[in-house]
Amino acid sequence: MSLQMKLTAITLDCPDPEALAAFYQQATGLEPHPESNGDFAGLRGDDGLFIGFQRVDGYRAPSWPDQTVPQQLHLDFAVDDLDGAEALLLELGAAKPEHQPGDDRWRVLTDPAGHPFCLTRRPI
């Protein structure tokens, strides 16, 4: 018998949970969890996926691509238009590191708390 698991939640450490939740809410359209607060905020999708953001005192942002402070994880988001999505996310507060290993296949950005995430082309 094989174990079958469904991913239901991802939680990111950060210095300001409400601010990071607001960034991802604007970027994804996920709904804010009604009990979000300054210590823990969350977003929920219709499919049941929950993204949480928890306050960590002394938080140190990842230093991607350098691993002085490891990224520990990154999220991938499929989009139809890489350039358009990148421009919108930069307006929302994301940053674009100089190092871009994906050529035209994907883009690496960092959220306002420094977590790297990728934009990938949605399969045609």
Side-chain angles (χ1 to χ4, degrees):
M1 179 173 120
S2 66
L3 179 64
Q4 295 197 8
M5 301 187 319
K6 177 183 178 187
L7 179 63
T8 58
I10 298 167
T11 300
L12 302 174
D13 292 347
C14 63
D16 185 344
E18 292 174 309
L20 197 55
F23 169 79
Y24 279 104
Q25 193 277 325
Q26 290 178 313
T28 65
L30 296 173
E31 291 297 319
H33 190 279
E35 295 180 26
S36 293
N37 59 51
D39 290 321
F40 190 89
L43 301 173
R44 185 169 301 282
D46 290 338
D47 61 357
L49 179 63
F50 183 85
I51 302 176
F53 309 93
Q54 64 187 3
R55 177 180 305 281
V56 171
D57 294 331
Y59 172 78
R60 292 177 46 202
S63 57
W64 189 89
D66 170 336
Q67 293 296 303
T68 304
V69 179
Q71 69 182 6
Q72 300 175 13
L73 69 90
H74 76 268
L75 303 172
D76 288 349
F77 296 94
V79 297
D80 294 322
D81 175 6
L82 281 175
D83 293 331
E86 176 185 314
L88 176 61
L89 289 161
L90 292 173
E91 286 178 27
L92 293 176
K96 184 177 179 181
E98 186 176 321
H99 181 64
Q100 293 292 318
D103 299 318
D104 287 333
R105 296 172 298 171
W106 71 82
R107 309 274 168 80
V108 179
L109 301 177
T110 56
D111 69 24
H115 303 105
F117 65 94
C118 292
L119 300 177
T120 62
R121 289 189 194 281
R122 191 180 313 271
I124 297 174

